[in-house]
C-alpha cells in the first residue's frame, strides 16, 4: 500500500545439521518493532528441492520487542482508526513443533483505540497473553468506553496437535459499540470465538440498551464502482491476453472464513429519528452464515411513534424494519401513519430502503392529494384557499417530498428528552359558539425499561398535566394522568398489528 512507511528487515539464516538458525529484526522509520532469534528444525534437500519441518525436532526461538503501538500501527491496515499505548513482547518457544513449550508474555498497557466510522472507543485497554506450555493464554483483557461501559475477556490458543484450537470469551456491560452523530448504541453482550484456527466459529448474544439512531439529514451520494477492462478488439491475441490478465487481477476472497451465530435482542427504547420520524422499536436481529457471506434475518417492529409531515404529527399505526436481501446495507422500512382532522383520516405510507424511501399520501374517504393537503393544513377544500394559503400549500408539498428534520426534533435532542410533541388539547369555546382545540406541548423520558414519565402543558396554567406510561405486556400499556385542577385519568391501551 502506498501509505505504508518503508520497512527495514534484517535477517540472517544459517542452515546446519537439520536446524535453521535465524537472527533478525523489523524496524520502521528507525524504530525497532520486534526481533527474533534462535533455531527451528528444518530439513533442506537440493536434489530434489524439498523443505520439511520435522515434528520431533527441537525448537529454541525467542521473540522480543518493546515500543509504542502508534509505531506498530503504521504497518497495520487500520485506515483512519487511531491506536495509542505501549506494547512489550518477551516470548520463548521450546519443545517440538508437535508439542511446543511456550513461556513468557505479550502485553499491552494503558492503550486506547478509536474507530472513526462508528465512534467506538476503548480506553485504558490492557491485554496480557501468557505462554503456558503448549497454550498461549489470554490472562487479561480489560477496557472501558467513553462512559461507564466495560469490556472483559479471557481464553487460550492451544498449539498442540495437527489443528491448533482457540477458545476466547468476552463480556460487555453497557458498552457503547457505536457513539457517533448517527448512532449511540450501548449493549450487554456475551461473545465467544472458538473452534480450530483454520475454521473458527463466532458466537454472540447481545442485548441493546436504550439507544438512539438518526437518519442523516443528507444522505451521501452513491457512486457505482465499475471494473473496466481495456481491450484492443483489433487483435484477438491481445484480447485474450487482456481477459486473462483481468481474471488474475480479481481480488481473492478472504482466506479465513468465520462461521457466524449472532443474535441481537432489542427489548425496546431503540429510538429511530430523522426526516420527521420520531419512533421507538423492539425486535430481534439474527446474523448467520460466514464472515464472507453473512445472512441477516429477523427485524424490528414499531412500539410507538409519529411522523411529522406538513407541520402535523401523524401517529404511526404500523411499522416494520426488515432485511429482505439478508444484508445490513439494505434495510427495508414499511410505515403507515394517520392524522385525523376536518372530516378525513389522512394516511401516510413510507416504504422502501433507508437510502431512498417512498412516501405516499392517501385518505379516507378517498380524495386527490391536493385536497388531502388542504384539509390537513387548513381544514377546507383547495378551491377555497386564499393566495397566501395556496403558497403555503405549495411549500408544504415540496417539504413533504424533500423530507428533513424539523425544529421540534432538534429541540428534543437539545433538551435530552425521549419524546417531545406539539398537539392539541381540550376544546374551548369561540365567539360564534363553535369549538376549537388549544395547542399543547408534551415531553418526557424513560426512567426505567418500559416506564415513561412526562408532562403536558397547554396555553393556560390549569391545563398542566403529569403522565406515566408503563408497558405491562408486549401489546398492553397502562397509563395515568393527573392535572393541576385535580382531574385524574387511568386507562389501558391495547394494540395489535395484524
Amino acid at each position: 500500500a502506498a501509505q505504508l512507511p518503508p520497512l527495514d528487515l534484517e535477517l540472517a539464516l544459517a542452515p546446519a545439521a537439520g536446524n535453521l538458525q535465524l537472527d533478525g529484526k523489523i524496524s520502521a522509520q528507525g524504530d525497532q518493532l520486534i526481533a527474533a532469534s534462535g533455531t527451528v528444525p528444518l530439513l533442506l534437500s537440493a536434489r530434489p528441492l524439498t523443505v520439511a519441518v520435522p515434528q520431533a525436532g527441537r525448537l529454541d526461538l525467542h521473540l522480543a520487542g518493546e515500543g509504542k503501538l502508534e509505531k506498530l500501527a503504521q504497518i497495520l491496515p487500520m485506515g483512519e482508526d487511531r491506536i495509542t499505548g505501549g506494547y512489550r513482547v518477551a516470548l520463548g518457544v521450546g519443545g517440538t513443533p508437535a508439542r511446543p513449550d511456550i513461556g513468557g508474555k505479550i502485553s499491552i498497557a494503558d492503550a486506547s483505540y478509536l474507530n472513526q466510522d462508528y465512534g467506538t472507543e476503548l480506553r485504558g485497554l490492557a491485554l496480557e497473553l501468557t505462554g503456558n506450555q503448549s497454550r498461549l493464554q489470554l490472562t487479561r483483557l480489560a477496557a472501558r468506553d467513553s462512559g461507564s461501559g466495560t469490556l472483559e475477556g479471557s481464553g487460550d490458543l492451544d498449539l498442540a496437535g495437527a489443528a491448533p484450537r482457540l477458545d476466547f470469551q468476552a463480556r460487555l456491560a453497557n458498552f457503547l459499540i457505536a457513539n457517533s452523530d448517527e448512532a449511540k448504541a450501548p449493549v450487554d453482550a456475551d461473545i465467544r470465538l472458538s473452534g480450530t484456527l483454520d475454521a473458527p466459529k463466532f458466537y454472540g448474544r447481545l442485548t441493546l440498551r436504550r439507544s438512539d439512531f438518526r437518519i442523516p439529514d443528507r444522505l451521501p451520494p452513491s457512486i457505482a464502482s465499475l471494473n473496466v477492462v481495456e481491450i484492443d478488439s483489433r487483435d484477438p491475441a491481445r484480447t485474450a491476453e487482456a481477459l486473462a490478465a483481468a481474471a488474475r487481477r480479481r481480488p481473492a476472497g478472504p482466506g479465513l472464513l468465520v462461521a457466524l451465530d449472532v443474535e441481537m435482542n432489542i427489548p425496546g427504547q431503540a429510538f429511530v429519528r430523522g426526516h420527521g420520524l420520531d419512533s421507538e422499536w423492539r425486535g430481534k436481529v439474527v446474523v448467520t452464515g460466514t464472515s464472507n457471506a453473512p445472512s441477516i434475518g429477523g427485524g424490528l417492529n414499531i412500539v410507538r411513534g409519529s411522523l411529522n409531515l406538513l407541520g402535523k404529527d401523524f401517529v404511526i399505526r404500523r411499522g416494520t424494519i426488515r432485511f429482505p436481501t439478508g444484508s445490513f446495507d439494505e434495510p427495508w422500512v414499511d410505515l403507515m401513519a394517520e392524522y385525523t382532522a376536518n372530516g378525513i383520516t389522512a394516511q401516510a405510507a413510507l416504504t422502501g430502503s433507508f437510502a431512498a424511501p417512498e412516501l405516499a399520501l392517501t385518505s379516507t374517504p378517498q380524495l386527490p392529494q391536493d385536497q388531502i393537503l388542504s384539509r390537513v393544513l387548513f381544514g377546507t377544500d383547495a378551491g377555497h384557499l386564499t393566495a397566501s394559503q395556496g403558497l403555503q400549500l405549495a411549500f408544504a408539498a415540496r417539504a413533504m417530498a424533500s423530507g428533513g428534520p424539523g425544529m421540534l426534533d432538534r429541540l428534543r435532542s437539545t433538551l435530552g428528552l425521549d419524546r417531545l410533541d406539539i398537539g392539541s388539547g381540550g376544546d374551548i369555546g369561540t365567539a360564534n359558539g363553535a369549538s376549537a382545540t388549544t395547542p399543547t406541548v408534551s415531553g418526557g423520558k424513560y426512567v426505567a425499561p418500559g416506564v415513561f414519565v412526562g408532562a403536558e402543558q397547554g396555553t393556560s396554567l390549569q391545563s398542566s398535566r403529569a403522565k406515566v406510561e408503563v408497558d405491562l405486556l408486549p401489546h398492553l400499556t397502562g397509563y395515568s394522568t393527573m392535572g393541576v385542577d385535580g382531574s385524574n385519568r387511568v386507562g389501558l391501551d391495547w394494540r395489535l398489528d395484524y
Side-chain angles (χ1 to χ4, degrees):
Q3 291 105 355
L4 289 181
L7 292 178
D8 295 325
L9 172 64
E10 298 180 19
L11 181 62
L13 302 174
N19 289 312
L20 180 68
Q21 184 174 351
L22 60 89
D23 189 4
K25 64 180 181 179
I26 300 177
S27 304
Q29 296 181 344
D31 296 310
Q32 179 175 310
L33 302 178
I34 194 167
S37 62
T39 59
V40 295
L42 190 70
L43 294 178
L44 297 176
S45 175
R47 295 182 180 178
L49 179 62
T50 58
V51 179
V53 178
Q55 294 299 298
R58 302 302 300 176
L59 281 169
D60 185 14
L61 187 62
H62 302 275
L63 299 175
E66 186 173 2
K68 296 294 185 181
L69 288 171
E70 299 94 309
K71 300 292 185 180
L72 192 61
Q74 295 176 10
I75 64 173
L76 299 177
M78 297 188 61
E80 296 298 321
D81 295 352
R82 294 290 179 264
I83 188 168
T84 62
Y87 73 93
R88 185 179 182 186
V89 179
L91 207 62
V93 183
T96 67
R99 192 167 186 83
D101 187 0
I102 307 173
K105 185 181 294 184
I106 301 174
S107 61
I108 294 175
D110 197 23
S112 65
Y113 167 77
L114 175 62
N115 180 280
Q116 299 284 1
D117 291 333
Y118 301 103
T120 308
E121 190 171 0
L122 299 176
R123 296 182 179 180
L125 174 62
L127 180 147
E128 288 185 1
L129 285 168
T130 304
N132 183 7
Q133 296 183 343
S134 64
R135 295 176 180 269
L136 193 60
Q137 293 184 317
L138 179 62
T139 54
R140 186 184 183 195
L141 173 61
R144 64 182 188 276
D145 62 8
S146 57
S148 60
T150 59
L151 179 152
E152 296 179 346
S154 61
D156 62 75
L157 172 63
D158 189 353
L159 298 174
R165 301 189 65 84
L166 53 87
D167 189 3
F168 293 97
Q169 308 89 31
R171 172 166 291 183
L172 292 81
N174 195 27
F175 195 90
L176 280 167
I177 59 173
N179 186 21
S180 65
D181 292 339
E182 287 76 29
K184 293 186 183 296
V187 301
D188 297 327
D190 289 300
I191 59 178
R192 183 177 183 182
L193 184 64
S194 61
T196 61
L197 197 59
D198 58 349
K201 300 177 181 179
F202 183 81
Y203 169 93
R205 293 296 180 266
L206 299 87
T207 299
L208 189 66
R209 292 195 176 197
R210 186 202 179 285
S211 53
D212 286 277
F213 301 91
R214 178 168 293 280
I215 302 173
D217 296 348
R218 292 184 178 272
L219 296 170
S222 178
I223 301 176
S225 177
L226 303 179
N227 295 320
V228 179
V229 179
E230 189 172 329
I231 298 174
D232 188 348
S233 59
R234 295 170 298 177
D235 188 342
R238 290 184 61 186
T239 299
E241 182 181 349
L243 289 172
R248 289 192 297 270
R249 288 195 299 268
R250 290 192 188 103
L256 182 65
L257 294 181
V258 181
L260 302 176
D261 180 11
V262 180
E263 287 186 6
M264 170 74 83
N265 292 291
I266 303 99
Q269 297 188 46
F271 299 96
V272 179
R273 299 183 172 103
H275 286 272
L277 176 65
D278 189 344
S279 57
E280 180 189 352
W281 300 80
R282 66 161 62 105
K284 177 187 290 187
V285 177
V286 179
V287 184
T288 56
T290 66
S291 54
N292 187 34
S295 178
I296 316 302
L300 306 178
N301 297 307
I302 192 74
V303 177
R304 57 179 65 85
S306 63
L307 185 63
N308 188 273
L309 294 173
L310 315 173
K312 308 293 183 180
D313 281 333
F314 285 63
V315 178
I316 297 177
R317 300 301 186 190
R318 182 190 72 239
T320 60
I321 296 177
R322 293 289 182 266
F323 304 89
T325 64
S327 172
F328 267 127
D329 297 332
E330 300 178 15
W332 191 271
V333 61
D334 179 9
L335 292 178
M336 195 280 288
E338 290 183 344
Y339 181 83
T340 301
N342 306 309
I344 68 167
T345 299
Q347 293 110 12
L350 187 69
T351 57
S353 67
F354 267 28
E358 295 182 359
L359 178 63
L361 194 62
T362 58
S363 69
T364 303
Q366 188 173 354
L367 294 174
Q369 184 155 307
D370 60 337
Q371 295 289 352
I372 299 173
L373 294 176
S374 179
R375 290 283 190 95
V376 170
L377 284 173
F378 308 110
T380 185
D381 293 334
H384 298 146
L385 299 181
T386 65
S388 62
Q389 289 175 331
L391 290 175
Q392 294 180 53
L393 182 66
F395 178 79
R398 182 179 181 275
M400 187 183 70
S402 62
M407 180 63 70
L408 189 66
D409 190 44
R410 291 193 291 269
L411 181 60
R412 181 208 55 76
S413 179
T414 302
L415 296 176
L417 299 176
D418 292 331
R419 296 191 222 163
L420 181 63
D421 301 299
I422 294 179
S424 57
D427 291 341
I428 61 173
T430 60
N432 57 8
S435 64
T437 56
T438 61
T440 61
V441 177
S442 63
K445 285 182 65 69
Y446 280 93
V447 297
V451 180
F452 176 84
V453 176
E456 180 180 288
Q457 176 65 55
T459 56
S460 66
L461 294 177
Q462 297 301 316
S463 61
S464 298
R465 302 186 69 84
K467 60 180 178 180
V468 177
E469 297 179 8
V470 180
D471 292 337
L472 303 175
L473 295 171
H475 303 290
L476 184 65
T477 300
Y479 65 87
S480 174
T481 66
M482 181 176 64
V484 296
D485 57 358
S487 61
N488 299 315
R489 189 179 304 163
V490 178
L492 295 175
D493 185 7
W494 180 82
R495 295 183 183 179
L496 178 64
D497 293 332
Y498 60 91

